[in-house]
Each structure stands twice: as C-alpha cells, then as structure tokens.
Amino acid sequence: GKRKREREKKRERERLRGRERESMELDLGTKEIPRSAVAPRFLHSNSSSHSWAFGAIAELIDNARDPDVGAKNFYIGVEDCSFGAALTFLDDGNGASPEVLHKMLSFGYCDKDQYVDGPLPIGHYGNGFKSGSMRLGKDALVFSKALGSSGGVATHSVGMLSQTYLDAIQSSEVLCPMVSWAEAAMGETPAGGVASLAVILEHSPFKSMREVKRMFSRIRRSGTLIVVYNLRMEGPQPELDFSQKDDIRIRRFSGEDPGTQAVDFKKRPQRAGVAKKDSMPLEFSLREYCTVLYLEPRMKIIIRGIKVQHRLVEHSLSRTSFDYYTPRSANQEDADRVRITFGKSTSKDSQSYGMLIYHRGRLIQPYLRVGVQLSGMNPEAVGVVGIVDANFLQPTHNKQDFQRTKAYQLCIAALESRLKTYCSLLLGNESFQGNDDETTLPDVLWAQCDSCLKWRRLPDSVAKNSLPKKWYCYMNPVSKYSICTAEEESYEIEPMESLSTVRNRQRREEREKKARDVRLEEERAKRMRANSQLAKVKLEVAERLAEQGGASSGKRKRHPGEGTTPDAKRPRTVEVPAGSDHSGKGKVPSVQPKRSVGGGEEVEMAGITARELRRMMKKVAKVVASAWKLDKEWIAPLRKVEFWQQLKVDDLIREQEEIMAKELDEKDKLLAEADAKVKGLQEMLKRKEGAESETPHVATGGSQGTEPVRKQIQSLYMSLVLMESTL
C-alpha cells in the first residue's frame, strides 16, 4: 500500500508539470508556431567549410584542450572495423554528461564564454565537432564518462551522428540517437533509450553491449572517445594515408600517386607567395602540424602511440628579437599592444618560414609570407619566422583563416614593415636556405616534462639531439627546477632588445659617426693649413739664410787709414752694446766685433759684422713670433668646439700642447746658450781691452791676441745658424 501511494504521488506531480508547460506555451503563444528543422544534407554542407582534413582534426583537438574539458592527454589512433579504417580520438578530460552530450550533437550551443580566467577557450561557435567529424567521415560515435558534480551520479553516455543512418531511413531532419546509464546500472536496459540503443547497435561497428562496454573501458576515470568511420574517399582510396606507422598523412601530398597531385593541389590551403610545387611538412603530415598547433602546448598529443614533440614556437628560433604593435580600428580605440616575435628558423625544411598567426594561442595561418617574402628572391627574408597572437582578429568558422576586416589589413601591413626592419637591421644579406640543426640552434633550449607538462629551460651545455623522447623534470641539470613541484620558469628570454630600441640605437650611432667624421675632417683641414704655413715659414727662413750666407762670404772694403804693417797698426776696441740678457721672447742682443788698424780700415772678423749679426738675431725673433702665431691659430679653434665634441678631442689637444711645449723648451734652451756665449764674449773682450792698454802692442801679438776672439765669434755664428735651422 505504501508503494502504491508513492506511485500515485509521482503521477500527480508529472500531471501538474505537464499542465504548467501547456499553460506556459499558451501564454507565450508558441505552441502552434512551427519549429525549425535541420535537413540531413546540412551535415555535409556544414563540413565543406573545411577544405583541409587536418583543419577538421584540429577542431576535435581544440575541444579537448578547452578549459571546459581540461584534458592532459589526447590520443589519435587508427583501427580497423567492419566499415573499413576508422579514426579514434580519446581524451582524459572531464567527459560529457547526458545534457552536455546532447548539446554537443546539436548545433550552435556553446557555454565556453564563461571561462575568462586562465587560457581562453578556442571554440566559441558550437559547431566544431559537427563540421570536423563529418569532414573526416560520414559517421561518428561518441562515448563519454562524466563524474557527477557536487555528489551527483557518474554517468556513461553514447551518442551517434550518422549520415549513413539518416540516408537509410530517409529522414527529413537530423536525428541523434543517444543512450545514458548510471555507472552502477551499466549494462542494464536503459529506461527510455531502448530505440536509440537498437539504432546504435544496428548502424555502428559495435553490434553488442559487450563491444560497447569494451569501448567504455578504454576511458579510465573520465573522458571522451570519438570514433569516426566511413572515412572520406579520394577516388578508390581513402583521403588519408596510414602507411606511416607513426603518422597520419594526406594522400595527395604523400607522393604515392604523382599523377593526381596536379588535380588535388587546388584543395590544399593556399599561402601567399608560395608556388604550388612547394609544400611544407605540416601541410601533409599531422605530426608536423601538431608541433606548432599551439603557441604554449599544455596537452600531450599522442599519434598512433608516439608522442608529438611539441615546441615552444617563440623560443625555438635563433637570433630572436621582438617589437610591439598596437592594433587600431574603428571598434578598438584603446586596444592593448601585441608582441611580434621575429627570428631565424631552425627547421631543416627550407620552406618552413613566414608568419605564424595565432588566435587565443591556436594556429590559424601557418607560415604566411608577407612583404619582402612574397617574391622569394630576397635572401635576407628567407628563413625568417614571425609569430603573433592576434586575439583582436576574428577567425573564420573553419579556423584556417581570418575575416578580411580593416583590422586584419592593418595587422598585415604592420607585419610587413617590421619584417623589413628586422631583416635590414639584424640579418643583412644572409641567406637561410637549407638550414641545418647542427649549425643553426635556438637561442635557448626548452624541454617539456612528460609528467607535469611544465616547460624547463636547459643550460647551454645540453645538446638538442641528446634529449630523449620522454623527458622528465628529474633529468634537468638545474637542481632548482629538477622536481615537478617547482614553479615553471618565465618564458621571457633574458634581455632582448626590441626592434624599436635597435632602430633608435642605430640612428644614434649613425648621427654620432657623421658628427665624428665632420670633426675629423675639420681637424685634418686645420692640420693641413698649419703644415702648409709651417712649410712656408721654413722655406722663407731657408731663403733668407741663403741670401745672408752669400752676402757675408765676400771681404768688406777697408776703411781709409787702415794699413798692413803690423808695427804701425794698433787694434781698435770692439764695441759690444749692453742689454745682452735675453729670454727668447724679446730682441736678440747684437754684438759688434770691430778692430782698428794703423791704416784706419775696419777688418772683417769671422766673416760677419755686428750689423749682420743684429739683423740675423731679429730674423730669429720673427721666426719665434711666427711659430707662436701658428700655434695659436691651430689650437685656438679646437678650444671653440662644443663641450661634447671637446671631450673627444681633449687627447689630441693635450698631445699637441705637449709637442709645442717641448719645442718651446728647446728654443729657450738654445737662446739661453746663445746669451751665455754673448756674455762670456763681452767679459773676455773687456779683459782684453784692459790688458792691451797697459802692454805695448805689436802686429804679431795683436794677431795672436785677437785669434781667440775671432774663434769665439765664429762659434757663436755657427750656433745661431743651427738655432735658425732648428726653428
């Protein structure tokens, strides 16, 4: 009786709920409004947005990576079934509850916009699974385990999206058979899902509940398994090539049937500036495509049992530099600036260069050639890779291109200008065709732990080729980061200059070099003028000395009264004017050695007269004055330069001043020696006059007495000639 009363209460509650729904529909006036239906042909039309098979696979990888699933591992495999080869996609994420699975099989439902903290979700159209799976094959089966939230019951769900089934029953709208079990009731006949289970067992490769359970057993604690079968065919063969045991390739690029490549090249994703005969590994190899699929890989991708060796794309380049770009458009007046990284490719493939444009960390346009890379004839641009995460752009529905908006055009123009600047400033005329890993290594080597999925920076002593396929934190030579619990290092490479900084420094150095060249040219001109003036003075002194030497070589005329008889001759006194003290800056004192003979004639002494000696000393003073004038004219302009220029020429001025000081010291020394000799000659002449006035003079004695004086005057003359030649 108690159970009967509970059943009656339950039926009453259901009747009340039905009445509430009917009254609500009547109030809104929607009960009689027709619902929109989706025709089965739409599944194929929707999948045609993917012209590239790997773009469809990337949609399924994106769903597992997004924060609502949060998978750490994603397995891609190939299996044989009753429908031929089948692709399997397995993740270890959160799984899908029955409600989530129903939205997944429907169109346009997406709740990922609520995830604003952490990595941003890639999918936001609610169409990725449908378009991607139907592009690869005609049928898809989804198995999912979900843990109950907040103490709820864990569920096992299976759903099917099949064009083969809809064609078989000639349905006019899309039907999605779906069955769910509670974890404890797995294997029992589900209430309300008998018809769906029968359709799944009939039109799928799994013909019994035992096989269905076996598929669920491949999911560990939680996750989703997608099986795509009835794969697309290219003529008599499947589009995908599974001959490589560790890879999945597109058959039209595999080279097995060269005759079909000319026809199928039109289906490959086009890249600007790339000839059709040239292709990159990522265009026909799924493994190569997955290595650069994400800017910061946080999920392991295992293709046919072998892990993909991910790369930190920004840190896998050499000669890396970066610049910033601030997007400007009508709808984004204050957009945040975006970093653009440039570097030299370290890939062995000579065609793997261009712009890698990401959106929310997911690759949208691979190796887009822009600017100087379009012609392919610019050696400085070959091998250069540019990387930008353009979250301000809007990708197309297939996530293989961007919408051609004004913001996109401005972004491409910015990439072109910065690429040209990078090539001209950092690369010069180098060519990077045929790169080799042995000669071209990244600036910094990084490795990802296979356990915690953290990236670790390795020291320079570690060789890239020495890393194993599975690397763990305990293999890190840096002890601080040799455990998985250690925090991840910053991705910023230590002090790198931006392109704008390099450009400003280059301009500053060019200005300084130009100013330095002008200054040196002015100094060279002044030095040449000074040398020419000095040579002119030397030539004038030499000419004057030659003239004076010729004039003093002949004998002077005798004065009347001078005789030749020694007894009748008496020497006249030699008049030497006072003021013989000379410091080298005034007039040189004159010496007038004269001798009176009996005949009254003036006798020449040492080939020079006092008048000629006085004239010569005046010329010496003029030479000294001209030298001082030359020094002032050459050094004074150097002291008039600006302060920042003066700092550069201080050493030159100091050196010239030292040279001039030494020359002046030598001049002063020579003049002092001449003064000393003149004084000595004066004293000797005075003593000689006193002795001769007391002793009778004879011709022979007079000749002997005046002979030393004659030699002294001759020595003085030679000293003065030497001084003039030195000056």
Side-chain angles (χ1 to χ4, degrees):
K2 185 176 181 180
R3 293 179 180 176
K4 185 177 180 180
R5 287 193 297 271
E6 291 177 354
R7 286 195 296 270
E8 291 177 354
K9 290 180 180 180
K10 186 176 181 180
R11 294 193 192 100
E12 184 65 23
R13 287 196 297 270
E14 291 178 354
R15 285 195 296 269
L16 292 175
R17 290 174 183 171
R19 292 174 184 175
E20 291 176 357
R21 286 194 295 270
E22 291 179 359
S23 61
M24 184 179 297
E25 290 178 353
L26 290 174
D27 293 338
L28 296 176
T30 60
K31 184 176 181 180
E32 298 179 356
I33 297 178
R35 265 64 171 173
S36 174
V38 179
R41 290 179 57 86
F42 179 74
L43 295 177
H44 174 72
S45 302
N46 186 43
S47 67
S48 63
S49 62
H50 293 286
S51 60
W52 191 34
F54 291 165
I57 295 177
E59 293 278 10
L60 305 180
I61 302 176
D62 294 341
N63 290 339
R65 180 186 179 274
D66 280 347
D68 59 332
V69 177
K72 299 297 182 183
N73 300 277
F74 190 81
Y75 301 87
I76 303 176
V78 180
E79 298 182 1
D80 292 329
C81 64
S82 58
F83 292 87
L87 286 172
T88 61
F89 305 92
L90 173 64
D91 68 69
D92 58 353
N94 297 326
S97 63
E99 295 79 10
V100 174
L101 180 60
H102 183 259
K103 291 181 179 180
M104 177 180 172
L105 297 174
S106 304
F107 293 89
Y109 290 95
C110 182
D111 299 330
K112 297 180 180 182
D113 293 337
Q114 60 183 326
Y115 297 95
V116 294
D117 297 332
L120 295 175
I122 300 171
H124 53 277
Y125 291 117
N127 191 44
F129 166 74
K130 278 75 67 177
S131 63
S133 60
M134 295 295 101
R135 168 62 178 81
L136 298 173
K138 297 184 67 175
D139 309 305
L141 204 60
V142 183
F143 301 87
S144 185
K145 280 185 182 180
L147 300 177
S149 59
S150 64
V153 179
T155 58
H156 293 60
S157 304
V158 58
M160 186 174 70
L161 189 64
S162 173
Q163 299 181 55
T164 305
Y165 162 66
L166 297 176
D167 292 341
I169 65 173
Q170 298 181 353
S171 176
S172 59
E173 58 183 356
V174 176
L175 302 177
C176 301
M178 191 179 73
V179 185
S180 298
W181 297 271
E183 186 176 11
M186 182 63 188
E188 298 180 1
T189 302
V194 177
S196 295
L197 181 59
V199 170
I200 292 173
L201 296 179
E202 180 181 358
H203 296 276
S204 74
F206 312 104
K207 303 300 182 181
S208 64
M209 278 299 299
R210 182 178 180 180
E211 295 181 2
V212 172
K213 290 182 180 180
R214 181 172 59 83
M215 300 304 293
F216 275 112
S217 65
R218 297 174 60 175
I219 306 173
R220 295 182 180 178
R221 191 163 178 261
S222 63
T224 302
L225 172 62
I226 301 174
V227 181
V228 179
Y229 52 97
N230 278 331
L231 300 179
R232 174 175 287 199
M233 305 294 289
E234 289 287 346
Q237 295 180 329
E239 174 189 13
L240 299 177
D241 178 19
F242 306 120
S243 60
Q244 300 286 336
K245 294 183 179 180
D246 61 343
D247 198 5
I248 297 175
R249 300 198 172 191
I250 298 179
R251 188 173 299 278
R252 58 174 174 265
F253 293 124
S254 65
E256 294 182 1
D257 189 5
T260 62
Q261 290 188 7
V263 178
D264 295 330
F265 258 116
K266 63 183 181 180
K267 296 183 179 180
R268 95 184 226 194
Q270 294 296 316
R271 294 178 293 121
V274 181
K276 290 186 176 181
K277 64 179 181 179
D278 298 326
S279 59
M280 299 179 299
L282 65 80
E283 291 180 328
F284 57 83
S285 172
L286 180 61
R287 181 172 296 276
E288 291 294 331
Y289 177 58
C290 290
T291 58
V292 296
L293 182 58
Y294 298 109
L295 193 60
E296 296 181 5
R298 296 293 180 182
M299 181 180 70
K300 288 192 294 184
I301 300 177
I302 298 92
I303 299 177
R304 306 186 75 173
I306 300 177
K307 177 189 172 184
V308 173
Q309 299 298 324
H310 293 290
R311 288 187 296 165
L312 274 177
V313 184
E314 282 188 325
H315 303 285
S316 63
L317 307 175
S318 65
R319 303 185 69 179
T320 311
S321 187
F322 63 91
D323 202 354
Y324 290 100
Y325 165 66
T326 303
R328 299 291 181 186
S329 64
N331 299 327
Q332 296 174 331
E333 295 295 336
D334 299 324
D336 296 333
R337 64 178 186 172
V338 179
R339 183 168 127 164
I340 305 174
T341 304
F342 290 99
K344 175 184 172 183
S345 174
T346 57
S347 174
K348 293 182 179 180
D349 179 52
S350 61
Q351 296 296 325
S352 297
Y353 68 92
M355 301 297 111
L356 292 172
I357 307 180
Y358 290 79
H359 180 266
R360 294 187 175 183
R362 200 267 212 186
L363 182 62
I364 303 297
Q365 284 186 314
Y367 297 117
L368 176 69
R369 310 252 174 105
V370 299
V372 294
Q373 293 178 333
L374 289 175
S375 62
M377 301 301 293
N378 299 62
E380 67 272 11
V382 176
V384 177
V385 177
I387 302 168
V388 58
D389 193 10
N391 294 336
F392 58 92
L393 299 179
Q394 189 68 19
T396 57
H397 285 265
N398 61 4
K399 298 186 182 67
Q400 295 300 309
D401 200 353
F402 289 100
Q403 297 180 9
R404 294 301 191 267
T405 60
K406 181 180 179 181
Y408 177 79
Q409 296 174 357
L410 294 175
C411 179
I412 296 299
L415 290 174
E416 292 177 353
S417 63
R418 284 156 176 79
L419 173 64
K420 185 176 180 181
T421 303
Y422 174 81
C423 294
S424 60
L425 292 180
L426 300 184
L427 298 181
N429 294 323
E430 292 186 20
S431 178
F432 304 117
Q433 300 228 16
N435 293 327
D436 190 356
D437 279 342
E438 296 181 358
T439 58
T440 306
L441 298 176
D443 294 336
V444 179
L445 184 61
W446 294 77
Q448 186 180 28
C449 178
D450 204 66
S451 177
C452 64
L453 301 181
K454 294 179 181 178
W455 286 91
R456 303 298 187 189
R457 179 177 176 176
L458 302 179
D460 297 337
S461 58
V462 179
K464 181 179 180 180
N465 298 332
S466 64
L467 297 179
K469 293 184 178 180
K470 289 188 176 182
W471 188 90
Y472 298 93
C473 287
Y474 70 84
M475 300 179 182
N476 192 352
V478 183
S479 58
K480 181 179 179 181
Y481 300 100
S482 60
I483 55 176
C484 291
T485 56
E487 294 183 359
E488 195 172 50
E489 294 181 79
S490 174
Y491 284 171
E492 292 295 333
I493 298 177
E494 68 225 333
M496 290 193 307
E497 290 183 321
S498 65
L499 291 180
S500 58
T501 304
V502 175
R503 188 163 52 245
N504 293 336
R505 188 181 68 247
Q506 183 83 1
R507 292 172 180 171
R508 184 172 62 255
E509 291 177 353
E510 289 179 357
R511 289 195 300 267
E512 293 178 356
K513 182 181 179 182
K514 189 179 296 184
R516 185 167 57 252
D517 293 342
V518 172
R519 186 168 62 255
L520 292 176
E521 188 65 28
E522 292 177 354
E523 294 174 0
R524 191 179 298 109
K526 292 175 182 177
R527 194 178 299 110
M528 292 177 64
R529 289 195 299 270
N531 291 336
S532 63
Q533 292 177 5
L534 185 59
K536 184 177 180 181
V537 170
K538 288 182 179 179
L539 181 60
E540 183 180 354
V541 170
E543 291 176 353
R544 292 180 181 180
L545 289 176
E547 293 176 0
Q548 294 171 4
S552 62
S553 62
K555 298 266 185 162
R556 290 179 60 252
K557 292 183 179 181
R558 297 178 182 271
H559 290 281
E562 287 184 340
T564 58
T565 305
D567 296 337
K569 296 178 181 179
R570 184 179 182 85
R572 301 173 62 181
T573 59
V574 179
E575 299 178 0
V576 180
S580 61
D581 188 12
H582 176 60
S583 60
K585 299 180 181 179
K587 294 183 178 180
V588 180
S590 60
V591 179
Q592 300 177 4
K594 294 182 180 180
R595 179 173 178 271
S596 296
V597 195
E601 295 181 356
E602 185 175 349
V603 181
E604 179 182 351
M605 301 180 65
I608 186 172
T609 63
R611 184 179 298 174
E612 291 174 352
L613 182 61
R614 185 166 52 252
R615 189 183 301 115
M616 189 174 296
M617 297 304 292
K618 288 182 179 179
K619 292 178 180 179
V620 171
K622 289 182 179 179
V623 171
V624 175
S626 65
W628 272 102
K629 184 179 180 181
L630 184 62
D631 295 340
K632 292 181 180 179
E633 288 180 355
W634 191 74
I635 296 178
L638 295 178
R639 296 189 178 278
K640 294 180 181 179
V641 296
E642 297 180 1
F643 176 74
W644 67 275
Q645 294 177 334
Q646 182 65 28
L647 296 177
K648 299 290 184 178
V649 297
D650 276 345
D651 294 338
L652 180 61
I653 294 176
R654 194 179 300 108
E655 181 181 354
Q656 295 297 329
E657 288 179 345
E658 291 176 357
I659 294 174
M660 298 307 300
K662 290 181 180 179
E663 293 180 356
L664 292 177
D665 291 342
E666 293 178 358
K667 296 173 186 177
D668 293 342
K669 186 177 179 180
L670 291 174
L671 293 175
E673 291 178 358
D675 290 341
K677 291 182 179 181
V678 171
K679 289 180 180 180
L681 184 59
Q682 288 177 352
E683 295 293 335
M684 185 177 62
L685 289 175
K686 287 180 180 180
R687 289 195 302 269
K688 199 69 176 178
E689 283 182 358
E692 289 180 352
S693 63
E694 297 176 358
T695 307
H697 178 72
V698 292
T700 305
S703 177
Q704 292 178 353
T706 58
E707 185 65 24
V709 178
R710 188 178 293 110
K711 291 182 178 180
Q712 291 292 332
I713 293 175
Q714 186 177 1
S715 176
L716 176 61
Y717 170 73
M718 297 302 295
S719 298
L720 292 176
V721 171
L722 177 63
M723 180 175 64
E724 282 188 333
S725 64
T726 303
L727 294 177

